[in-house]
């Protein structure tokens, strides 16, 4: 490992966190749950049960600066001026930040903040005439620039509200592998949008990360991608500090993971499955076995496993009941401690 263990980590050893979404509609209760269950590495929760404006794309749209969208029957679409749907999405975001003033009062430490990445927004949001924004180079550029500017304002606002927080920025990019492979479907479903050249993907990720890092409270920027074939080489080239992945989907990614970590990257490993109902939480050692085995196979020092790798669910928890979500986060916390206590 090329100095990755020596570098200052954005989170403490043995840390567990969530991906983003939780069940429920009350931001105060959700934030109390987070600060109670993953106190070493809390995150600002998203509550999609409140409606589309509080889900991943709606929240990302609320952060875009001067690039309004509106909710159409087919999904979110770029429009000339803000409407009711965008105002509702922005109201949800402000409500969440207002709640954080209360629940995060006096907190000092890492706080993870998720925002939908520019490539996933471009792959999901439509142009005024119905094509994907991703199909238009100018529109895709506009989405990236609007996100960079809006994200900087969002993070500065968050830092004012919780001045002791060290912000860890997570760009949610589940569509990134499809963008690079040319697998994003057109709105009709009968065709696909052309693949985007990797150099352009890397450059835009760098620009957005730079905008986030310009906020003094930001200590790390990374990408979460719960899809298969996470482009770790591109994330490494873009200078991402960490990658959040579904550990079950890494497959034969030993070389990519090894290179990412060896050049200083850290991982938030989604070790607790979130698809297919409530996971089996009976054996925490079985939960950590995939990443522990991978780490030893790569030949990295065992004592660095719990420092470099944080533990999370594979994806968001909005589809679970509150008690199940609590149980999953607690299991993540126990699993993270095993990576410190028993890394071999």
């Amino acid at each position: 490992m090329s100095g990755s263990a020596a570098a200052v980590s954005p989170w403490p050893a043995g840390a567990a966190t969530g991906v983003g979404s939780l069940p429920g509609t009350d931001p105060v209760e959700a934030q109390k749950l987070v600060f109670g269950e993953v106190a070493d590495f809390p995150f600002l929760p998203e509550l999609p049960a409140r409606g589309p404006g509080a889900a991943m794309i709606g929240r990302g749209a609320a952060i875009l600066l001067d690039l309004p969208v509106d909710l159409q029957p087919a999904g979110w679409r770029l429009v000339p001026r803000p409407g009711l749907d965008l105002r509702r999405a922005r109201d949800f975001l402000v409500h969440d930040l207002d709640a954080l003033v209360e629940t995060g009062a006096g907190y000092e430490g890492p706080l993870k903040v998720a925002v939908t990445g520019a490539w996933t927004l471009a792959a999901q949001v439509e142009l005024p005439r119905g094509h994907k924004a991703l199909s238009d180079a100018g529109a895709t550029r506009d989405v990236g620039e609007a996100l960079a500017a809006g994200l900087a304002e969002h993070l500065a606002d968050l830092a004012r509200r919780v001045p002791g927080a060290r912000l860890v920025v997570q760009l949610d990019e589940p569509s990134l592998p499809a963008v690079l492979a040319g697998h994003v479907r057109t709105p009709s479903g009968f065709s696909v949008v052309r693949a985007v050249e990797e150099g352009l993907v890397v450059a835009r990720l760098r620009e957005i990360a730079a905008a986030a890092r310009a906020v003094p409270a930001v200590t790390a920027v990374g990408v979460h991608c719960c899809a298969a074939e996470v482009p770790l080489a591109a994330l490494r080239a873009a200078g991402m500090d960490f990658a959040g992945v579904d550990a079950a989907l890494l497959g034969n990614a030993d070389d990519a993971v090894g290179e990412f970590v060896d050049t200083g990257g850290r991982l938030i490993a989604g070790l607790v499955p979130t698809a297919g109902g409530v996971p089996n939480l009976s054996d925490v050692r079985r939960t950590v076995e995939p990443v522990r085995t991978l780490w030893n196979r790569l030949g990295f020092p065992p004592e660095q496993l719990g420092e470099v790798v944080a533990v999370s669910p594979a994806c968001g928890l909005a589809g679970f009941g509150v008690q199940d979500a609590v149980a999953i986060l607690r299991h993540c916390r126990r699993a993270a401690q095993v990576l410190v206590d028993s890394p071999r």
Side-chain angles (χ1 to χ4, degrees):
M1 297 171 67
S2 303
S4 62
V8 176
S9 177
W11 54 74
T17 189
V19 172
S21 69
L22 286 178
T25 59
D26 185 334
V28 172
E29 291 304 314
Q31 290 170 20
K32 286 180 178 178
L33 185 159
V34 166
F35 280 96
E37 299 301 334
V38 285
D40 287 342
F41 193 10
F43 60 100
L44 180 63
E46 302 166 4
L47 302 175
R50 293 180 294 183
M56 186 179 72
I57 301 301
R59 170 151 297 197
I63 291 173
L64 295 176
L65 186 66
D66 298 330
L67 193 67
V69 299
D70 192 54
L71 188 60
Q72 305 289 324
W76 292 94
R77 179 174 290 185
L78 296 170
V79 291
R81 60 189 61 83
L84 178 61
D85 296 314
L86 183 58
R87 287 196 294 272
R88 185 177 291 118
R90 288 173 174 167
D91 286 345
F92 284 140
L93 183 58
V94 171
H95 193 191
D96 290 354
L97 296 183
D98 287 344
L100 192 60
V101 174
E102 173 188 341
T103 55
Y107 175 73
E108 296 183 356
L111 176 63
K112 186 164 67 67
V113 184
V115 59
T116 312
W119 291 108
T120 294
L121 283 172
Q124 300 297 327
V125 174
E126 295 184 2
L127 297 167
R129 294 190 176 183
H131 297 288
K132 296 285 189 180
L134 186 66
S135 67
D136 184 289
T140 305
R141 182 185 61 248
D142 290 345
V143 168
E145 292 176 351
L147 180 63
L151 179 59
E153 289 193 359
H154 173 54
L155 296 171
D157 185 18
L158 207 161
R160 286 190 294 269
R161 293 169 186 263
V162 190
R166 302 192 304 272
L167 302 181
V168 176
V169 181
Q170 171 184 298
L171 302 174
D172 284 330
E173 287 282 16
S175 297
L176 191 54
V179 167
L180 286 165
H183 292 163
V184 175
R185 309 298 301 184
T186 59
S188 69
F190 294 119
S191 185
V192 293
V193 180
R194 288 178 56 184
V196 178
E197 191 266 324
E198 184 175 300
L200 181 56
V201 167
V202 168
R204 190 138 301 141
L205 287 172
R206 278 190 171 276
E207 292 165 3
I208 294 166
R213 292 187 180 113
V215 178
V218 171
T219 60
V221 182
V223 166
H224 176 262
C225 181
C226 55
E229 301 180 359
V230 178
L232 289 170
L235 302 187
R236 191 174 71 252
M240 293 295 112
D241 298 305
F242 67 91
V245 298
D246 180 346
L249 298 179
L250 286 178
N252 299 317
D254 285 23
D255 289 345
V257 173
E259 291 173 5
F260 185 80
V261 173
D262 197 47
T263 53
R266 286 177 161 78
L267 297 175
I268 299 180
L271 293 177
V272 182
T274 53
V278 179
N280 184 346
L281 305 178
S282 61
D283 188 347
V284 70
R285 291 182 177 273
R286 180 179 296 176
T287 297
V288 304
E289 193 58 31
V291 72
R292 190 163 56 180
T293 300
L294 171 63
W295 194 261
N296 293 332
R297 196 163 62 237
L298 292 172
F300 291 139
E303 64 272 14
Q304 293 177 356
L305 175 58
E307 298 177 13
V308 175
V309 179
V311 176
S312 77
C315 206
L317 300 177
F320 294 87
V322 172
Q323 292 308 311
D324 289 331
V326 168
I328 290 170
L329 290 177
R330 287 180 180 173
H331 191 77
C332 288
R333 198 173 68 223
R334 290 193 293 269
Q337 192 58 48
V338 169
L339 297 186
V340 174
D341 295 340
S342 304
R344 294 184 185 275

